[in-house]
Amino acid sequence: MTDNPRVHLIHHPVIQQRLALARDKNTSVEHFRALLSQIASLMAFELTRDYPTVDVDVETPLGPCRGKRLAVELTLVPILRAGLGMTDGILKLIPEARVGHLGLYRDEKTLKPVTYYNKLPPDIANTEVIIIDPMLATGGSLNLAIDTVKKTGTKHIKILCLVASPIGIEVVTKAHPDVSIYTAAIDDRLDDRGYIVPGLGDAGDRIFGTA
Ligand code: PRP
Ligand code: URA
């Protein structure tokens, strides 16, 4: 557990119920994918709570009305592959968001992340960025992703993950104290292969059926 105000553990009962189903090793690929998408929508609702709005005038069938629209543009940056599993769910909520992609994989021996793809929108620095990865294990992948996004001049970055490890949270918050992390669970530990225990296994494999 953490008392860092930048770390948001989202306890919502519907999210927790969906997460328990996603953790279940007997959950099918199809169901796992649907669960991640649903959880991502629900978590994005919480993560976007403090984004500023501006007033807009609309005409209802009965007359003029003052409404709101988001005052910021959003860029979603899923870390490939597993981050893709939570991106659709957020786009259902905020279809105007643009999407940049970062391809990273963890070297199985060193557990260090390796970049194999980078396609970010040219104007990303003018937007609020949400970096998406269901698993925050050693923190290496997220730190590299945050470093990469910060190099564009981006100032406002939040992290959306599903399951985090205590050490991963410590590593990321130490390197990037300005970045907020939203997670649905903080699990016990990492095993000797760097997997989160109890976690949910290999998220990319479970989303894409590649186990
Ligand atoms: C997984 C996961 C994160 C990373 C987390 O990706 O989706 O990106 O590991 O580990 P870390 O916090 O120790 O860096 P993986 O490298 O397995 O690639 P994949 O999404 O393509 O399966
Ligand atoms: N990547 C995963 O997909 N799962 C883990 O538990 C750790 C890294």
Side-chain angles (χ1 to χ4, degrees):
M1 215 49 79
T2 171
D3 50 13
N4 184 332
R6 291 273 183 189
V7 180
H8 303 263
L9 181 58
I10 304 183
H11 282 294
H12 194 288
V14 177
I15 294 176
Q16 294 302 323
Q17 181 199 22
R18 309 317 281 161
L19 173 59
L21 289 168
R23 286 186 192 268
D24 188 334
K25 66 179 182 187
N26 295 314
T27 294
S28 68
V29 167
E30 186 186 4
H31 194 196
F32 186 84
R33 225 180 262 148
L35 288 164
L36 254 61
S37 174
Q38 291 163 358
I39 294 169
S41 293
L42 295 165
M43 290 184 73
F45 197 71
E46 198 56 40
L47 181 151
T48 53
R49 183 181 286 280
D50 63 355
Y51 284 166
T53 56
V54 287
D55 290 342
V56 289
D57 293 318
V58 290
E59 284 286 330
T60 81
L62 298 182
C65 173
R66 185 54 63 86
K68 305 270 185 205
R69 72 167 167 76
L70 280 179
V72 291
E73 307 237 18
L74 287 190
T75 304
L76 311 183
V77 180
I79 300 180
L80 310 183
R81 295 174 298 164
L84 288 175
M86 297 182 81
T87 302
D88 279 3
I90 306 176
L91 285 173
K92 279 190 190 125
L93 195 70
I94 311 163
E96 308 77 25
R98 60 203 77 177
V99 183
H101 295 86
L102 278 182
L104 308 181
Y105 72 87
R106 241 181 18 161
D107 182 284
E108 279 180 14
K109 286 206 178 68
T110 65
L111 297 184
K112 297 279 177 250
V114 180
T115 303
Y116 60 87
Y117 190 72
N118 177 343
K119 185 78 182 168
L120 300 174
D123 60 346
I124 187 170
N126 304 323
T127 68
E128 298 273 342
V129 171
I130 305 174
I131 300 178
I132 306 162
D133 194 330
M135 309 309 282
L136 168 49
T138 66
S141 302
L142 267 176
N143 267 354
L144 178 55
I146 297 168
D147 287 341
T148 305
V149 171
K150 280 188 173 174
K151 276 193 193 132
T152 66
T154 300
K155 295 275 183 288
H156 304 286
I157 300 173
K158 292 186 179 192
I159 303 300
L160 182 67
C161 57
L162 184 55
V163 181
S165 75
I167 186 68
I169 288 179
E170 193 184 320
V171 163
V172 173
T173 52
K174 206 174 238 176
H176 298 286
D178 55 314
V179 170
S180 296
I181 298 174
Y182 291 75
T183 185
I186 301 175
D187 276 9
D188 299 342
R189 63 186 176 88
L190 298 180
D191 70 8
D192 52 11
R193 293 183 309 144
Y195 277 83
I196 300 174
V197 180
L200 48 73
D202 188 305
D205 282 347
R206 295 198 63 188
I207 293 163
F208 296 107
T210 46

